[in-house]
């Protein structure tokens, strides 16, 4: 047997609470041994990882992949390459493509193109409703059979509580998880940033926190009634965290994530009408940001990318008219490590929120243990480079670190033992 030998790496594995410098031996896509040379076989290749950190590969619970339909924003190949460069081995693609991922044909197309690209593995989210219109239920069982790992309506509204209840009952019958966004459109419609003093000062229409919390209360009550497995995507409010805590105490099968941007920035970033920071859900106050970080530290929230690549023209409009979203995949892990350098999260807490917790949501195994698939990222904390337009793999250049110095660098990413970045 021939082995890949990763020598002298700092191995960080939240599942086993491992954080030590050791050697890893990989064969046939799996971890053969940790900390000791295999009894037989030869070393085919050695990577000297001195000073580098080896962690389970990142898993994204929600990113916008523009293909099919929005080729001006990127492709499956470009976005999965960007995701791999950011440290991801797996990414959940939202169903808001064109055509919408509400048929098995679209789901299979996405899987085929992602496999051909050979970068991060795409885990499609199927559409909960036909054409994401929020009225007629999609054939979610058929979508699941085609390869969709869960169902979502992206941030599109479901028509009413009756339709949402029927969706949950349908999904619960087959134990298909739903990825739900808490957003009351009657309260958030027309808003483009967090409702508060900054929005008032800038004369921009705001989105109140109640747009999220009222919708979340409705979702949780229906989850309790139907028993469906539900993941709440992209929560951004302090009260939402408390509501989820209570739901878990009551035995509901719910999980949740929050976007990285909402952990790094606040509504103060909007000052100057920089449309880069026009994102949905909106950036909120520092008090809320701190509460979200604390929830991540406690293990209550995963961190998602909310990756939304846009062409230059989409972001050149006035702030309120610009298309919302931020490209995040390129340099994602170095961005996330900012929370560690700020001493707001430990490395273990961050890695748990980016790999172990998302894996548990999806029913995957993502761990650096003997016998496990070698899905891993090798990160160099000493790396430093400037993220220029030529360095970005994504089709969208609406990136917060464009033309800025990035501290830390993803050195290599492995999916089932194969290097993908």
């Amino acid at each position: 047997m021939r082995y890949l030998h990763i020598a002298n790496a700092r191995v960080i594995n939240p599942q086993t609470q491992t954080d030590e410098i050791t050697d890893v031996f990989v064969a046939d896509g799996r971890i053969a041994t940790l900390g000791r040379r295999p009894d037989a076989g030869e070393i085919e290749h050695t990577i000297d990882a001195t000073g580098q950190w080896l962690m389970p590969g990142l898993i994204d619970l929600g990113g916008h992949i523009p293909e099919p339909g929005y080729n001006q924003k990127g492709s499956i190949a470009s976005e999965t390459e960007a995701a791999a460069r950011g440290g991801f081995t797996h990414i959940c693609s939202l169903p808001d493509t064109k055509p919408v991922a509400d048929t098995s044909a679209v789901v299979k197309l996405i899987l085929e193109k992602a496999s051909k690209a050979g970068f991060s593995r795409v885990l499609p989210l199927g559409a909960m409703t036909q054409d994401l219109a929020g009225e007629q239920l999609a054939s979610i069982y058929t979508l699941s059979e085609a390869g969709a790992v869960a169902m979502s309506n992206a941030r599109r509204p479901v028509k009413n509580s009756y339709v949402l209840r029927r969706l949950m009952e349908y999904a619960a019958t087959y134990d298909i998880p739903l990825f739900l966004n808490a957003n009351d459109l009657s309260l958030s419609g027309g808003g483009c940033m967090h409702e508060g003093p900054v929005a008032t000062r800038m004369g921009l229409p705001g989105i109140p926190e109640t747009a999220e919390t009222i919708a979340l209360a409705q979702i949780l009550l229906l989850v309790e009634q139907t028993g469906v497995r539900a993941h709440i995507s992209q929560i951004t409010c302090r009260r939402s965290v408390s509501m989820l805590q209570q739901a878990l105490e009551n035995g509901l099968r719910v999980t949740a994530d929050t976007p990285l941007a909402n952990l790094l920035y606040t509504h103060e970033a909007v000052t100057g009408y920089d449309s880069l920071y026009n994102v949905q859900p909106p950036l909120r106050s520092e008090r809320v940001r701190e509460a979200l970080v604390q929830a991540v530290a406690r293990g209550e929230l995963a961190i998602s990318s909310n990756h939304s690549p846009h062409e230059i023209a989409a972001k050149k409009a006035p702030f309120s008219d610009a298309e919302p979203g931020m490209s995040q995949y390129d340099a994602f892990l170095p961005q996330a490590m900012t929370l560690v350098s700020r001493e707001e999260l430990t490395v273990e807490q961050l890695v748990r929120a980016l790999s172990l917790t998302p894996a548990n949501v999806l029913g995957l195994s993502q761990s650096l243990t003997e016998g496990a698939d070698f899905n891993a990222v090798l990160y160099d904390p000493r790396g430093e480079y400037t993220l220029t337009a030529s360095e970005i793999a994504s089709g969208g250049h609406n990136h917060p670190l464009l033309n800025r110095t990035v501290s830390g660098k993803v050195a290599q990413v492995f999916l089932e033992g194969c290097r993908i970045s």
Side-chain angles (χ1 to χ4, degrees):
M1 188 169 289
R2 300 169 71 84
Y3 296 95
L4 167 66
H5 174 210
I6 300 178
N8 304 315
R10 178 186 175 186
V11 176
I12 301 168
N13 185 19
Q15 187 179 57
T16 57
Q17 297 183 333
T18 299
D19 188 346
E20 62 180 357
I21 297 174
T22 189
D23 288 14
V24 180
F25 294 85
V26 179
D28 295 331
R30 295 179 177 271
I31 298 176
T33 59
L34 279 168
R36 59 184 176 84
R37 184 172 179 140
D39 295 331
E42 60 181 286
I43 306 301
E44 182 175 33
H45 180 60
T46 296
I47 297 172
D48 183 1
T50 302
Q52 299 182 353
W53 304 352
L54 185 69
M55 302 171 281
L58 312 188
I59 299 176
D60 185 22
L61 292 172
H64 297 268
I65 306 298
E67 188 183 7
Y70 299 98
N71 293 339
Q72 75 277 16
K73 299 179 185 293
S75 65
I76 289 173
S78 69
E79 304 318 298
T80 54
E81 181 180 2
R85 291 188 184 187
F88 290 101
T89 55
H90 299 74
I91 56 174
C92 291
S93 62
L94 291 163
D96 53 349
T97 49
K98 187 178 181 180
V100 165
D102 60 0
T103 65
S104 58
V106 176
V107 170
K108 289 177 180 178
L109 173 67
I110 292 169
L111 288 170
E112 288 170 6
K113 289 205 166 190
S115 178
K116 186 179 293 186
F119 298 108
S120 299
R121 179 160 297 160
V122 174
L123 308 173
L125 300 178
M128 293 196 305
T129 62
Q130 295 177 25
D131 203 34
L132 297 177
E135 298 181 356
Q136 301 295 321
L137 275 59
S139 182
I140 62 177
Y141 179 77
T142 302
L143 294 173
S144 178
E145 289 288 290
V149 296
M151 304 298 143
S152 167
N153 224 50
R155 289 190 65 80
R156 310 282 180 85
V158 175
K159 183 177 181 181
N160 54 43
S161 299
Y162 177 80
V163 174
L164 184 57
R165 177 186 171 184
R166 292 296 176 231
L167 273 167
M168 290 186 179
E169 290 171 340
Y170 183 10
T173 300
Y174 298 102
D175 197 28
I176 296 171
L178 297 182
F179 279 37
L180 302 163
N181 290 83
N183 179 35
D184 187 325
L185 194 62
S186 64
L187 290 170
S188 66
C192 61
M193 67 170 296
H194 171 64
E195 183 179 275
V198 177
T200 301
R201 184 173 72 243
M202 298 181 67
L204 293 172
I207 300 173
E209 294 185 40
T210 48
E212 178 174 296
T213 54
I214 287 173
L216 180 58
Q218 176 199 47
I219 289 170
L220 293 176
L221 287 169
L222 290 174
V223 168
E224 183 176 25
Q225 181 176 353
T226 61
V228 73
R229 272 196 294 154
H231 177 76
I232 314 302
S233 299
Q234 303 171 1
I235 72 162
T236 65
C237 299
R238 182 173 182 168
R239 178 160 290 187
S240 296
V241 173
S242 300
M243 294 166 70
L244 287 164
Q245 289 171 334
Q246 184 175 0
L248 289 169
E249 290 171 2
N250 292 337
L252 272 62
R253 297 196 297 169
V254 292
T255 52
D257 70 68
T258 192
L260 178 63
N262 293 77
L263 299 172
L264 294 177
Y265 310 109
T266 71
H267 60 163
E268 295 287 350
V270 175
T271 301
Y273 299 95
D274 187 346
S275 63
L276 175 67
Y277 299 99
N278 180 344
V279 295
Q280 293 291 342
L283 306 174
R284 300 204 183 268
S285 67
E286 174 63 15
R287 181 169 177 264
V288 172
R289 189 197 70 81
E290 291 174 352
L292 294 173
V293 171
Q294 291 164 10
V296 171
R298 294 192 298 268
E300 296 168 2
L301 295 177
I303 299 174
S304 60
S305 75
N306 197 19
H307 173 70
S308 303
H310 290 304
E311 70 280 20
I312 294 174
K315 283 293 190 177
K316 285 297 184 182
F319 186 92
S320 58
D321 297 326
E323 290 190 44
M326 185 182 287
S327 180
Q328 286 279 39
Y329 280 155
D330 287 279
F332 185 90
L333 185 54
Q335 285 185 84
M337 283 290 177
T338 303
L339 295 165
V340 176
S341 63
R342 292 177 182 174
E343 298 185 348
E344 294 183 316
L345 294 176
T346 65
V347 174
E348 182 180 345
Q349 289 167 339
L350 180 66
V351 175
R352 179 184 62 195
L354 290 171
S355 61
L356 179 60
T357 302
N360 290 339
V361 170
L362 297 168
L364 302 177
S365 177
Q366 193 85 330
S367 180
L368 300 180
T369 53
E370 292 185 2
D373 288 339
F374 188 56
N375 300 326
V377 53
L378 195 58
Y379 175 74
D380 186 353
R382 305 160 302 178
E384 187 173 283
Y385 65 103
T386 300
L387 187 64
T388 62
S390 61
E391 288 276 346
I392 290 180
S394 172
H397 287 191
N398 53 316
H399 196 288
L401 297 183
L402 182 62
N403 296 323
R404 296 186 183 182
T405 299
V406 178
S407 296
K409 187 172 186 178
V410 172
Q412 299 185 54
V413 179
F414 301 90
L415 176 62
E416 295 177 2
C418 296
R419 181 179 175 181
I420 59 173
S421 177

